[in-house]
């Protein structure tokens, strides 16, 4: 990302400060676009179901990891209905505290709540069938994203998947000083995935989002 995150310490600290002030609600998690939650979840579910099941090359449904989980919106609506156990990781303790009540009865199937930035998080080797990374890669520097994806690869079970779902810029890298993040174009994301030793096995654009927001793409990696 060039010199966008030249001062890594402040890049991460400023993001933590920003999210600490965000209300622990679905609308807060989605930057005021709470109305897109259903469309988002339905698109993700249709994408994920292409891989899940039994048989040669299919991805298991034992355990998933929700990265940048916030209050657990994706865990509740997407992952817990499809997986026996889900772990959550987020840097904001208040969000994880809220997740415990937000998830309700299904929260009993949550294995772990990890309060940690992804740049430092080390997922357990061989634990996960799916690692879901949504709207959070922009909070990692290029090098930290590559290193995190390498750790994710080691954390997968046989035929496991890493899924990135995120905004993509039209060209280059676009910084956002408000929440201390960046938005990369698709070619840059693909290049970083390749540097991590992963390959894109399937890719789609999320449909029916408001036209004023960045395009959102979903990439399945192995």
């Amino acid at each position: 990302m060039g010199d966008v995150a030249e001062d890594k310490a402040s890049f991460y600290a400023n993001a933590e400060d920003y999210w600490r002030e965000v209300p622990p609600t679905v609308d807060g998690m989605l930057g005021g676009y709470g109305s897109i939650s259903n469309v988002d979840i339905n698109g993700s579910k249709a994408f994920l179901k292409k891989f899940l099941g039994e048989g040669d090359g299919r991805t298991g449904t034992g355990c998933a990891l929700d990265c940048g989980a916030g209050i657990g919106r994706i865990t509740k609506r997407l992952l817990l209905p499809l997986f026996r156990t889900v772990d959550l990781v987020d840097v904001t303790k208040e969000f994880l505290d809220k997740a415990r009540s937000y998830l309700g009865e299904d929260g009993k199937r949550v294995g772990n709540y990890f309060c940690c930035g992804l740049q430092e998080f080390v997922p357990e080797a061989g634990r996960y069938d799916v690692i879901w990374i949504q709207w959070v890669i922009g909070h990692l520097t290029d090098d930290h994203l590559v290193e995190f994806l390498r750790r994710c690869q080691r954390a997968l079970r046989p035929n496991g998947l890493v899924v990135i779902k995120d905004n993509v810029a039209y060209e280059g890298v676009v910084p956002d000083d408000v929440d201390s993040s960046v938005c990369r174009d698709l070619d840059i994301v693909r290049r970083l995935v390749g540097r991590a030793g992963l390959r894109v096995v399937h890719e789609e654009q999320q449909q029916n989002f408001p036209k004023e927001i960045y395009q959102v793409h979903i990439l399945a990696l192995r």
Side-chain angles (χ1 to χ4, degrees):
M1 66 173 63
D3 294 326
V4 171
E6 205 168 66
D7 183 349
K8 291 184 174 65
S10 63
F11 178 69
Y12 290 116
N14 292 344
E16 287 187 40
D17 289 345
Y18 169 83
W19 286 105
R20 215 172 278 121
E21 299 303 315
V22 170
T25 61
V26 169
D27 208 44
M29 299 301 96
L30 293 172
Y33 282 92
S35 59
I36 70 171
S37 187
N38 283 345
V39 174
D40 170 58
I41 294 294
N42 290 338
S44 297
K45 195 169 288 185
F47 183 92
L48 203 44
K49 282 185 170 179
K50 291 179 170 71
F51 299 94
L52 302 182
E54 296 184 5
D56 193 35
R58 305 293 286 179
T59 300
T61 56
C63 189
L65 175 65
D66 185 356
C67 298
I71 64 169
R73 180 186 71 92
I74 291 165
T75 291
K76 184 182 181 79
R77 300 282 310 282
L78 175 68
L79 299 177
L80 280 172
L82 296 174
F83 295 88
R84 287 192 295 278
T85 306
V86 179
D87 291 345
L88 289 75
V89 56
D90 197 278
V91 74
T92 306
K93 181 180 182 297
E94 289 78 10
F95 293 165
L96 293 177
D97 289 344
K98 176 67 176 180
R100 294 170 192 274
S101 58
Y102 174 73
L103 294 173
E105 275 296 298
D106 284 335
K108 291 177 180 175
R109 292 189 290 113
V110 170
N112 300 283
Y113 295 89
F114 298 108
C115 188
C116 187
L118 297 186
Q119 71 275 15
E120 298 169 343
F121 181 64
V122 181
E124 180 185 331
R127 176 170 172 79
Y128 299 105
D129 293 295
V130 167
I131 297 177
W132 192 270
I133 310 169
Q134 183 164 345
W135 282 323
V136 70
I137 65 168
H139 284 300
L140 294 172
T141 65
D142 286 0
D143 288 347
H144 281 162
L145 176 55
V146 169
E147 290 163 9
F148 178 61
L149 289 175
R150 285 174 181 155
R151 296 196 295 273
C152 286
Q153 188 176 29
R154 292 192 288 272
L156 291 178
R157 289 176 174 169
N159 298 320
L161 277 182
V162 176
V163 181
I164 292 175
K165 184 170 185 177
D166 220 304
N167 302 334
V168 296
Y170 290 102
E171 186 177 3
V173 179
V174 182
D176 186 337
D177 293 332
V178 175
D179 67 356
S180 190
S181 70
V182 296
C183 184
R184 303 170 175 93
D185 72 32
L186 209 44
D187 285 342
I188 293 172
V189 174
R190 291 191 193 111
R191 256 197 324 270
L192 295 173
V193 164
R195 270 180 58 193
L198 289 157
R199 62 188 177 88
V200 179
V201 294
H202 188 61
E203 182 183 314
E204 290 179 14
Q205 182 179 343
Q206 170 70 52
Q207 300 299 313
N208 302 316
F209 270 6
K211 288 190 168 40
E212 70 269 18
I213 67 174
Y214 283 114
Q215 289 184 1
V216 171
H217 283 250
I218 321 175
L219 292 81
L221 318 174
R222 277 184 171 147

